[in-house]
Amino acid sequence: MALQAERNGGGTLADVIEMILDKGLVINADIAVSVAGVELLGIKIKAALASFETAAKYGLEFPSGIKDGAEAWEKAKVAKETCLQCEKKVAVEELMSLGCPWCGWMPVRAKALKPEA
């Protein structure tokens, strides 16, 4: 049984960009120019494309000048999970204890802890 490529027509450019920023993309390239077996020029390229949240998750280092103690940076370091109903990212602790602030979805554990009105 041979594997066949499948095309999902539902994806858009925004979906591709969101996936790249969410998962990250790393490019490693080594280029060498040689003449008669003698290397004249060697170039090593390493590039990473990811959201700050993904970069913080994997511990990527950033160039100097980035304030890694800034409030936005600290928020990016907070672990997030995708809401099962609206698919927006929410802090794991908030999602599991209070529910989703976007759509109101609540896990069973949060419903059990919520006092009846």
Side-chain angles (χ1 to χ4, degrees):
M1 177 178 197
L3 294 175
Q4 300 255 340
E6 242 181 67
R7 184 177 198 152
N8 182 357
T12 64
L13 180 60
D15 294 333
V16 172
I17 292 171
E18 183 179 344
M19 182 184 296
I20 288 173
L21 292 176
D22 185 44
K23 303 295 180 193
L25 174 71
V26 176
I27 299 169
N28 263 340
D30 292 333
I31 302 168
V33 177
S34 300
V35 175
V38 177
E39 187 174 319
L40 300 175
L41 177 66
I43 301 172
K44 293 186 178 190
I45 299 171
K46 291 184 181 183
L49 176 65
S51 67
F52 279 115
E53 181 179 336
T54 303
K57 180 175 152 185
Y58 290 108
L60 293 177
E61 292 183 24
F62 291 95
S64 61
I66 293 177
K67 295 181 184 177
D68 62 350
E71 182 181 345
W73 184 254
E74 294 303 320
K75 285 182 181 178
K77 290 181 182 179
V78 174
K80 294 188 174 85
E81 189 62 55
T82 304
C83 173
L84 296 173
Q85 186 168 318
C86 68
E87 298 184 353
K88 293 192 181 214
K89 295 240 179 202
V90 182
V92 173
E93 191 171 318
E94 179 182 2
L95 186 64
M96 291 297 118
S97 61
L98 302 173
C100 179
W102 301 100
C103 67
W105 176 86
M106 292 182 71
V108 175
R109 185 174 91 188
K111 287 180 184 176
L113 296 175
K114 187 176 181 182
E116 295 293 324

